[in-house]
Amino acid sequence: MAANKRLLVLPGDGIGPEVMAEVRRVIDWMDKRRHVTFALDEALIGGAAIDGAGNPLPDRTMELAHAADAIIMGAVGGPKWEKLPFAQQPERGLLGIRKQLSLFANLRPAVVFDALANASTLKLDVVKGLDIMIIRELTGDIYFGEPRGIETLPDGRRKGVNTMTYTTDEVERIGRVAFDLAGKRNKRVCSIDKANVLETTVMWREVMESIKGEYPDVQLSHMYVDNAAMQLVRNPKQFDVIVTGNMFGDILSDCAAMLTGSLGMLPSASLGAPDKTGRRAALYEPVHGSAPDIAGKGVANPLATILSFGMMLRYSFDMVEDADRIDQAVQNVLNNGMRTADIMEPGKAKVSTDTMGSAILAELDKLAA
Ligand code: NAD
């Protein structure tokens, strides 16, 4: 059968290649067992690209990225490249690809798997069954606004300046991502702002209100960011989809991530705007970094990257059944007591990266039977 989805695989550095190897086994499984086939390209990014091509984001990688239907990445960075000038560091590769593909919407689910609910620092009844989605605008806001910098005033004092800006079209497009997604979930969007203090977010709120009529089955609410931080740890299950700007999203998504208690379990997606044919650039990656402290030991948790692949099936290819199957396989291996070292609990079976991958394949076999 001709391959009908073109994927770019970017293993990156540290544990990146190890966790990506397990995703490749899942892709092979799908090629053999399902109706879909994938054409895979693999390319260098980050430290591996600095070593192999003298640049954290080689032109060849960007060519393949533009040609791909979706991209999956491991992680970049590590001590070997830390002393390089800022502009040549591995992380520039990741920031560069996000920028060149205009990936403006960052999706971070915070899901608490029943079997891991005890890993959260919050009480069991607060987090058990949690399934929320944080959508963070990724290309605007105070991180990119001008003017910016540090200047010296005539009296010798120094002044730091950053500028929070959004334009209506930027808010509309991230708002639409949130409404679309909520329409496929529990039909509630909570937009987070600081409209009691910041004019930029007064406008943000007005724009969200102006587009809500396009989504009659989705309910829109608003919350100030300080309250949202409190509510996320007080009663996170009140949320379905949260949408917010770059800076608030940066902070709240890490806060939500920790409700789940395990970095090795967290997937993410970054999406671009759809073109006329509906095709959109998309990069899927685990939230964790390259974990140099455990790289090469075969102990990394591959589940965040496998779940990121599941997000790719769901959001780039609309393969909801297959994505659900991957999520279920992860749930099942955890229920069966399998744990990599990062999520180990007394009484459970500590397994290596590839044993965890094999367990996922075995569950996929059962689920597809
Ligand atoms: P990290 O996420 O790599 O590691 C933090 C801790 O979590 C470590 O103890 C690590 O062993 C553990 N951990 C992370 N992922 C794990 C997994 N899948 N299984 C088991 N344990 C896991 O963060 P860090 O130590 O701050 O950063 C290390 C390097 O990664 C740095 O160079 C940093 O810049 C880079 N980084 C890259 C990304 C990315 O590529 N998106 C994100 C964060 C950090």
Side-chain angles (χ1 to χ4, degrees):
M1 191 198 298
N4 53 13
K5 313 273 181 223
R6 188 161 179 189
L7 302 193
L8 176 61
V9 176
L10 302 173
D13 307 318
I15 61 168
E18 297 168 47
V19 292
M20 197 59 77
E22 303 312 313
V23 170
R24 292 196 76 140
R25 292 173 72 196
V26 173
I27 294 173
D28 286 346
W29 182 93
M30 290 193 70
D31 273 348
K32 288 196 194 99
R33 299 292 304 266
R34 305 289 300 158
H35 50 279
V36 61
T37 55
F38 296 100
L40 297 194
D41 288 309
E42 186 167 314
L44 296 171
I45 192 164
I50 295 170
D51 292 351
N55 169 357
L57 185 59
D59 291 346
R60 177 70 185 143
T61 301
M62 271 322 299
E63 268 168 40
L64 291 169
H66 283 296
D69 294 313
I71 304 165
I72 184 152
M73 198 193 81
V76 295
K80 182 175 176 194
W81 305 281
E82 256 166 31
K83 302 239 152 48
L84 288 174
F86 192 64
Q88 292 163 28
Q89 289 191 356
E91 288 74 8
R92 296 289 108 192
L94 177 55
L95 295 178
I97 197 168
R98 283 182 183 155
K99 183 152 191 255
Q100 291 192 43
L101 295 176
S102 302
L103 303 174
F104 70 92
N106 185 231
L107 276 51
R108 280 224 216 159
V111 173
V112 172
F113 291 94
D114 283 355
L116 297 182
N118 282 318
S120 174
T121 49
L122 269 69
K123 288 188 189 129
L124 188 65
D125 62 319
V126 175
V127 294
K128 195 159 194 269
L130 181 75
D131 179 357
I132 62 178
M133 175 70 81
I134 307 239
I135 301 179
R136 165 187 172 194
E137 202 289 330
L138 210 53
T139 53
D141 205 351
I142 195 164
Y143 292 177
F144 296 94
E146 297 284 348
R148 64 185 300 154
I150 302 172
E151 58 188 90
T152 303
L153 299 173
D155 63 7
R157 287 178 303 149
R158 295 168 80 221
K159 180 174 148 188
V161 178
N162 290 95
T163 307
M164 177 178 265
T165 66
Y166 268 116
T167 53
T168 48
D169 54 313
E170 287 174 320
V171 183
E172 277 169 16
R173 68 179 183 174
I174 193 77
R176 291 202 166 92
V177 172
F179 281 111
D180 279 337
L181 224 76
K184 294 176 187 157
R185 294 173 45 101
N186 293 321
K187 309 203 173 354
R188 284 181 291 119
V189 170
C190 182
S191 171
I192 309 292
D193 60 43
K194 187 73 183 167
N196 51 344
V197 180
L198 299 169
E199 286 82 353
T200 309
T201 71
V202 171
M203 190 205 73
W204 173 287
R205 191 178 277 221
E206 287 168 3
V207 173
M208 291 298 295
E209 281 293 320
S210 75
I211 58 172
K212 78 173 182 196
E214 298 167 29
Y215 305 87
D217 59 334
V218 179
Q219 184 198 323
L220 172 67
S221 61
H222 304 275
M223 196 179 275
Y224 297 140
V225 62
D226 41 351
N227 187 23
M230 284 199 291
Q231 296 302 328
L232 268 177
V233 289
R234 194 185 71 85
N235 176 18
K237 284 189 268 187
Q238 70 185 280
F239 297 109
D240 175 23
V241 171
I242 286 176
V243 63
T244 189
N246 204 345
M247 180 168 63
F248 298 159
D250 190 2
I251 299 163
L252 294 180
S253 61
D254 269 18
C255 176
M258 280 305 103
L259 299 173
T260 71
S262 41
L263 196 53
M265 296 295 304
L266 297 166
S268 78
S270 301
L271 309 178
D275 65 16
K276 284 187 196 112
T277 66
R279 188 171 175 271
R280 70 192 322 161
L283 173 76
Y284 299 84
E285 55 176 321
V287 167
H288 64 70
S290 59
D293 53 332
I294 56 165
K297 296 185 178 158
V299 298
N301 185 347
L303 296 179
T305 317
I306 291 173
L307 289 166
S308 301
F309 176 68
M311 288 186 82
M312 174 192 285
L313 299 180
R314 193 179 301 280
Y315 297 117
S316 280
F317 302 133
D318 224 5
M319 294 168 61
V320 176
E321 233 178 80
D322 296 274
D324 285 348
R325 197 174 280 120
I326 287 184
D327 291 353
Q328 189 61 52
V330 170
Q331 188 103 262
N332 292 359
V333 295
L334 296 173
N335 289 342
N336 294 343
M338 293 229 167
R339 301 285 188 274
T340 43
D342 57 310
I343 51 174
M344 187 56 192
E345 300 165 79
K348 304 296 180 194
K350 187 152 135 188
V351 300
S352 63
T353 308
D354 64 338
T355 304
M356 187 58 103
S358 302
I360 293 288
L361 297 184
E363 284 304 321
L364 288 174
D365 274 338
K366 283 189 217 157
L367 291 166

